[in-house]
Amino acid sequence: MITIKDKRECCGCSACASVCPKRCITMCEDNEGFLYPFVDTDICIGCGLCENICPVIHAQPDEKKEQKAYLVQHKNAQVLRESTSGGAFTAIAKWVLDRGGMVCGAGFDADFEVVHQWADCYENLKKFRNSKYVQSRIGDTYRQTKQFLMEGRYVLFSGTPCQLEGLFSFLRKSYEKLITVDVVCRACPSPLILRKYLKMQNNNLHIDIENVKFRDKYHGYKYSVMSLYASNTKDYHEGIDTDYYLRSFFAGVNIRPSCYQCAFKKRYRNTDFTIWDCFDVDKFSKKLDNDKGVTRILAHSDLANVILKESNSQLEVLEINPNKAVEGVKEMFYSVSVNPKRDSFFTDLNILDTETCFRKYFPITLRHRLEKQVRLWTVRLGLYKHMKKLFKAIMGSREIKR
């Protein structure tokens, strides 16, 4: 029977709850908003399957294998605009849908909770575009994936590395028609904090939120912002300098305990595709350096290479050196540092008014407002990427204070 004694050892993937033959494991939210398994001991038969398939307990080492790397940019302007980076996932998903398959990814429900859900047509792929800086609920999607595969259908499943490892552990065998995409993940923020943040913004801005984008290209790809789109007033667009949610995320305050010692930080993965941003695209291609977004891809399987080749009518594809592709990508290899204020932040979040809590830990000072204006002006003048390079050269590997 699985028992969580140390929350740093549970990534919340839901594999244990999904595999339980008696359905006696429930994923329950703790006071920080993260899901952990709760076992009904009156029903449990002690089979041990939940522990046997836990991807954290049985984490696999990074074993070198053949890879190819690519830069990708979707040719459809709307898809590219709506996507976090280059729109690669939409093209991969279309390949699956064209063959009668199903696509699973993270999207908002009617209450702006992020849940894994399905798409069976091209029009429904829009809900998967744009990053979701919050941990999604897996629900029954592992079981549903297995059912679709047993019916002989193609399935595309996307998520964070821990969610994909959870899927593999649950399935316990390979399937020819399963295609998997993991995103290079910094860490998983708390759904509770997003819930409180959106309620705060609704009240303070007097808006009815219709859409949320964590990485909106409102000012372009290289300086994306948190955007709240509303029907009854002016939309909200604030970046990493002046948005409370983004600042708490990048400060490493609002994230899951297991993310501080993530068991899945590695280069050679079991998925078909690993995808992430390419802000330094100018090192590889002048043509793709148009501030519209580029996806960087590691292709881990022959099928991944075939899919990209057969999707070239939709995509601009440039093959690059895999070693160069991962150079300097610390999010792939290293967990975020523990923020010493994390515990007190979560304690205050459940005591104080949400805005009071955010202001206490992330006051928006004159410095932050000036930084925002500097970013905006350098974006408008076409100097932003040069400023970022200079800043990185000065800061080196030091953490940026949020």
Side-chain angles (χ1 to χ4, degrees):
M1 180 178 71
I2 197 158
T3 304
I4 307 302
K5 297 178 180 177
D6 185 343
K7 289 185 176 181
R8 292 174 297 179
E9 296 177 355
C10 175
C11 64
C13 69
S14 299
C16 56
S18 299
V19 82
C20 178
K22 302 299 288 184
R23 305 291 294 268
C24 70
I25 300 177
T26 305
M27 299 300 292
C28 299
E29 191 171 288
D30 72 351
N31 63 350
E32 294 181 346
F34 297 110
L35 296 179
Y36 294 91
F38 173 80
V39 181
D40 186 338
T41 55
D42 292 333
I43 302 175
C44 176
I45 58 175
C47 67
L49 192 55
C50 52
E51 289 181 302
N52 292 339
I53 60 92
C54 174
V56 175
I57 294 175
H58 305 286
Q60 300 298 308
D62 200 3
E63 296 182 357
K64 188 175 182 179
K65 61 181 179 180
E66 185 178 349
Q67 291 177 324
K68 288 190 175 182
Y70 303 90
L71 299 184
V72 166
Q73 189 175 78
H74 209 287
K75 294 178 181 179
N76 182 292
Q78 182 177 348
V79 170
L80 188 57
R81 172 66 180 83
E82 293 173 351
S83 302
T84 301
S85 46
F89 180 77
T90 295
I92 298 167
K94 184 177 185 302
W95 189 95
V96 172
L97 294 175
D98 287 347
R99 287 154 181 79
M102 298 290 292
V103 177
C104 188
F108 289 112
D109 66 10
D111 298 317
F112 289 104
E113 296 285 328
V114 178
V115 298
H116 260 64
Q117 51 192 286
W118 293 96
D120 60 0
C121 64
Y122 188 78
E123 291 71 24
N124 288 340
L125 294 179
K126 183 175 181 178
K127 61 189 174 185
F128 300 141
R129 293 181 197 135
N130 209 267
S131 295
K132 312 297 189 297
Y133 283 168
V134 67
Q135 187 164 34
S136 62
R137 290 176 179 260
I138 289 293
D140 287 327
T141 54
Y142 288 171
R143 295 193 190 100
Q144 293 161 350
T145 295
K146 184 175 181 179
Q147 183 60 42
F148 288 134
L149 291 169
M150 291 177 68
E151 293 170 2
R153 302 182 72 174
Y154 276 102
V155 174
L156 172 61
F157 197 102
S158 65
T160 58
C162 58
Q163 290 171 335
L164 268 299
E165 290 296 331
L167 174 65
F168 295 139
S169 296
F170 165 78
L171 293 174
R172 289 177 285 168
K173 59 174 285 188
S174 59
Y175 287 84
E176 188 176 308
K177 291 190 175 182
L178 174 62
I179 299 161
T180 51
V181 177
D182 76 90
V183 294
V184 172
C185 174
R186 176 184 175 87
C188 290
S190 164
L192 174 64
I193 295 180
L194 178 62
R195 213 174 291 143
K196 286 177 172 286
Y197 166 84
L198 292 178
K199 183 178 180 181
M200 177 194 75
Q201 295 289 42
N202 261 322
N203 293 335
N204 289 355
L205 302 174
H206 306 291
I207 61 176
D208 294 321
I209 297 173
E210 291 189 338
N211 194 15
V212 177
K213 290 189 176 184
F214 298 86
R215 287 276 308 280
D216 192 10
K217 298 173 183 174
Y218 184 74
H219 299 299
Y221 172 59
K222 292 186 173 67
Y223 179 39
S224 56
V225 295
M226 169 73 89
S227 289
L228 307 177
Y229 288 93
S231 58
N232 59 335
T233 188
K234 187 178 179 182
D235 300 327
Y236 169 94
H237 308 284
E238 294 293 337
I240 195 171
D241 319 284
T242 50
D243 180 78
Y244 288 130
Y245 190 84
L246 292 182
R247 288 185 63 195
S248 66
F249 173 47
F250 286 102
V253 162
N254 68 358
I255 64 176
R256 191 178 183 95
S258 61
C259 294
Y260 296 114
Q261 53 181 43
C262 177
F264 312 106
K265 295 286 187 181
K266 55 186 179 181
R267 169 175 170 176
Y268 299 98
R269 307 189 178 192
N270 296 319
T271 51
D272 295 290
F273 299 90
T274 295
I275 63 175
W276 74 104
D277 280 301
C278 188
F279 292 117
D280 57 350
V281 60
D282 59 304
K283 293 197 308 187
F284 304 99
S285 169
K286 299 301 180 185
K287 179 182 178 182
L288 296 177
D289 186 21
N290 51 20
D291 202 29
K292 295 181 179 180
V294 175
T295 304
R296 194 168 354 197
I297 295 177
L298 283 182
H300 305 288
S301 68
D302 292 337
L303 181 56
N305 293 308
V306 168
I307 291 172
L308 288 177
K309 184 177 180 180
E310 294 183 358
S311 302
N312 61 9
S313 63
Q314 303 171 69
L315 302 171
E316 296 283 356
V317 180
L318 174 66
E319 185 172 354
I320 61 174
N321 184 298
N323 294 325
K324 292 291 186 183
V326 302
E327 193 174 79
V329 185
K330 61 181 182 179
E331 292 84 0
M332 178 175 284
F333 302 102
Y334 304 106
S335 299
V336 293
S337 301
V338 178
N339 190 308
K341 296 181 180 179
R342 181 195 182 279
D343 291 344
S344 59
F345 173 78
F346 273 102
T347 298
D348 283 344
L349 188 72
N350 288 304
I351 297 173
L352 303 174
D353 170 80
T354 303
E355 187 171 10
T356 302
C357 182
F358 274 129
R359 284 181 173 176
K360 177 179 178 180
Y361 290 89
F362 303 101
I364 298 174
T365 65
L366 177 61
R367 189 203 95 192
H368 296 102
R369 298 186 189 282
L370 288 174
E371 284 180 358
K372 172 188 172 181
Q373 292 305 315
V374 169
R375 289 180 191 267
L376 288 175
W377 277 107
T378 53
V379 166
R380 290 165 184 162
L381 295 171
L383 301 173
Y384 187 63
K385 68 178 182 180
H386 304 294
M387 183 193 75
K388 283 186 71 175
K389 285 182 180 179
L390 178 62
F391 186 75
K392 283 185 177 180
I394 295 171
M395 292 295 294
S397 60
R398 285 177 289 171
E399 293 276 338
I400 301 172
K401 187 176 180 180
R402 298 296 177 198

